[in-house]
Each structure stands twice: as structure tokens, then as C-alpha cells.
Amino acid sequence: MKIGELASATATKVETVRYYEKIGLLPPPARTSGNYRAYGSEHLARLSFIRRARDLGFTLEAVRELLTLSDDKAQSCEAVDGIARVHLTEIDRKVTDLTALRNELDRVIGSCRHGTVADCKIIETLGPRVRANIV
Amino acid sequence: MKIGELASATATKVETVRYYEKIGLLPPPARTSGNYRAYGSEHLARLSFIRRARDLGFTLEAVRELLTLSDDKAQSCEAVDGIARVHLTEIDRKVTDLTALRNELDRVIGSCRHGTVADCKIIETLGPRVRANIV
DNA sequence: CTACACCCTGTAGCAACTACAGGGTCAAGC
DNA sequence: GCTTGACCCTGTAGTTGCTACAGGGTGTAG
């Protein structure tokens, strides 16, 4: 398999595949006589794994750990579970934060009376608390 | 006001203040005889605005636009409203995506039977669809 | 007068790619 | 046999929004 084929099979860009190789996530494949990368099914499997984990929001470092763990089939699955749970907690925090921010922004937008910028409540909300002695 | 004072007044790091100056978000202040930056209340106001907008998740580019708009007090507030609404839509999309991802991850974790990695449902879920003819 | 907190510039680093520049390879069509 | 065009190669620089030095200078308190 050439890099373009591997890339399209995993919905990845060619540059990203090379990047994963460079940072050691994807092992360097064999080369053809013309110096083209020649991938096998094990590369396809590994890259699929990486992409799936990335889609679930795992960082590349987490993916690296998961890959290492998944290579040792005899090991307990607890470490894997742990990584996933930590990640879940992080996502929950993000959703909470983002929802709070969303509501705040919604409130700010709702206050807009569509006048001029001078009266704009959005700008006003963003601006500093104006004290009387500061013009 | 020295840079450290401005920074702590706006809960910003000193390096970040200098960074905002470098990218043209914050105008270069006057300098003291010792070449220290000397800020006035207009800098404090502007930096407060930037931080508030950043806290609401606006990108620096959006902040730049908002600052430009807020400088023209006579202008209609519609452009401001537009930027904020686009941003709100983006946040909504993010929350939706993140929630879907969260549930997917929760499902994956829930399937964990705490055995060995060989039987780990998490790893399995991340791996490629295994077809019979590929070992 | 010396210690220490603060300031200065400039550069490099972070995640996770993405986008060139400037070349080489390969298969198809004439 | 030759050209065209799609693909591949390496290497470097850009993206966002900072953060962290390195290697200096300034200002003030004891």
C-alpha cells in the first residue's frame, strides 16, 4: 500500500501519516525501489487505531500510551480503563465550562438593542467597569 | 503603571501582555527613562476588554475585529452582534460534538470487563474492524 | 553597596498538524 | 521514446495563543 492509499483508507492526510511516523507513533514501513513507503495491513490497523482514538479526543500522548498497552495482550486492562476515565473526566469538565460560557454569551447577545456601537451592550459587557472618575 | 501591575490588574501574565503588543492588539505604551513600559488607564481598559473577550472564548482575530468595531462609536452594532452570534454557533457545535463524544467514550468504558488487554473492549473498540482473512 | 525584585529583548518551545518548496517516480497515452 | 500528470520524497516554516527561557539592565530597600 502506498502512503496515499493508506491515508485515504483512514481518512488521514498524507502529511499527517508522515508526521505520525516522524514522532514515532507509526513504525517506518519498508520502501520500494523508488523509495516510496510500502505499508502492510499492520500499518493500516495501527493507523486506524490512532485515528479512532484521536476522534474520541485522546491526545497523541494518550494514544501513545494506549498503543503501548495494547501491544501487551497479557496485561490487565485497568491501565487502559484508567486513561479512558481520566479523559472522560476532562471532557465532562470541558462540556461544563463550554456550556457556562455559552449561556453567558447568549445572555450578552440577548442584551443587544441593535443601536450604535456607543450603546452596544455587547461591547459594554466586554469593556472594563467604568468608574466615574475615569473618562 | 508598569507591566507587572497591568498584568496583575488583568490576571494576565507579563509575557502575554508583551505578546499582545507584539501582535498589535495592545498599542505600544510610552517608556520610562529606564526603558520600562509605562501604561495608562486606556491600556488597562483595552487589555481588560481583550481578556474578557478571550474568557468568552473569542479568538484573537475576533477580538481584533471587536476592538476595531468598538473604536467606531457611531457605527451600527450589527457587526458586533454578528461576530458574537457566529461565535455562539461555534460553541454550540462544540458542545454538541463534545457531548456525543462523551457518550461514546462512556459507552466504550462501560463495556470494559476488567480482564486482560487481549479481551479489552476499549482497545477492541479503538482497533480496526477485524475481518476473518486478516490475522 | 549589594541583594533582590522587577524589567528588557529575542528566541525557542508546546499540540497537532498543515502547507509549501524543490525535487524524484511511475504509468498512460501519443 | 517521450511527455504529461498524478503521485511520492525530504525538509522547513507556518498555524494559535501563549509560555519559558537566556542573558542581560533597572530600581529600591536595608
Side-chain angles (χ1 to χ4, degrees):
Chain A
M1 219 185 327
K2 283 193 285 184
I3 195 168
E5 291 159 354
L6 178 68
S8 66
T10 53
T12 310
K13 300 208 171 167
V14 166
E15 289 93 338
T16 306
V17 177
R18 285 197 285 248
Y19 170 71
Y20 287 163
E21 180 181 326
K22 194 164 105 188
I23 64 170
L25 265 191
L26 205 56
R31 296 290 182 127
T32 66
S33 56
N35 200 31
Y36 283 17
R37 287 172 179 81
Y39 294 99
S41 64
E42 74 282 8
H43 288 100
L44 179 58
R46 199 170 176 95
L47 182 53
S48 302
F49 184 103
I50 296 170
R51 296 304 290 179
R52 213 78 71 84
R54 292 288 299 129
D55 284 349
L56 281 173
F58 287 95
T59 64
L60 285 182
E61 259 335 284
V63 173
R64 203 187 288 275
E65 282 184 71
L66 288 172
L67 280 169
T68 305
L69 291 169
S70 81
D71 284 344
D72 184 359
K73 298 294 181 204
Q75 197 180 315
S76 150
C77 156
E78 255 170 65
V80 173
D81 194 51
I83 293 173
R85 278 176 198 282
V86 166
H87 181 45
L88 181 61
T89 306
E90 269 163 32
I91 293 174
D92 277 343
R93 197 181 39 70
K94 259 186 214 165
V95 170
T96 305
D97 289 358
L98 222 51
T99 303
L101 193 151
R102 190 227 109 89
N103 293 336
E104 169 76 0
L105 187 60
D106 195 43
R107 199 181 57 67
V108 170
I109 292 174
S111 69
C112 182
R113 294 289 161 267
H114 310 292
T116 65
V117 165
D119 303 318
C120 183
K121 296 294 177 193
I122 299 175
I123 295 288
E124 205 170 288
T125 304
L126 289 171
R129 306 285 168 253
V130 178
R131 275 166 296 143
N133 58 336
I134 297 181
V135 184
Chain B
M1 219 184 328
K2 285 193 284 185
I3 194 168
E5 291 159 354
L6 178 68
S8 67
T10 52
T12 309
K13 301 210 169 167
V14 166
E15 290 93 338
T16 306
V17 177
R18 286 196 285 248
Y19 170 71
Y20 287 163
E21 180 181 326
K22 194 164 104 188
I23 63 169
L25 266 191
L26 204 56
R31 296 289 182 128
T32 67
S33 58
N35 200 32
Y36 283 16
R37 285 172 179 83
Y39 294 99
S41 64
E42 73 283 7
H43 288 100
L44 179 58
R46 200 171 175 92
L47 183 53
S48 302
F49 185 102
I50 296 170
R51 297 303 292 178
R52 214 78 70 83
R54 292 288 301 131
D55 284 348
L56 281 174
F58 287 95
T59 64
L60 286 182
E61 259 335 285
V63 173
R64 202 186 290 274
E65 281 184 72
L66 289 171
L67 280 169
T68 305
L69 291 170
S70 81
D71 284 345
D72 185 358
K73 298 295 181 203
Q75 196 181 313
S76 150
C77 156
E78 255 170 65
V80 173
D81 194 50
I83 292 174
R85 278 176 197 281
V86 166
H87 181 45
L88 181 61
T89 306
E90 269 163 31
I91 293 175
D92 277 343
R93 197 182 38 70
K94 260 186 212 164
V95 170
T96 305
D97 289 358
L98 223 52
T99 303
L101 192 151
R102 190 229 108 90
N103 293 337
E104 169 78 0
L105 187 60
D106 195 45
R107 199 181 56 68
V108 170
I109 291 174
S111 69
C112 182
R113 296 286 162 269
H114 310 291
T116 64
V117 165
D119 303 317
C120 182
K121 297 294 177 192
I122 299 176
I123 294 287
E124 205 170 288
T125 303
L126 289 171
R129 306 283 168 255
V130 178
R131 275 165 297 143
N133 57 336
I134 297 180
V135 183

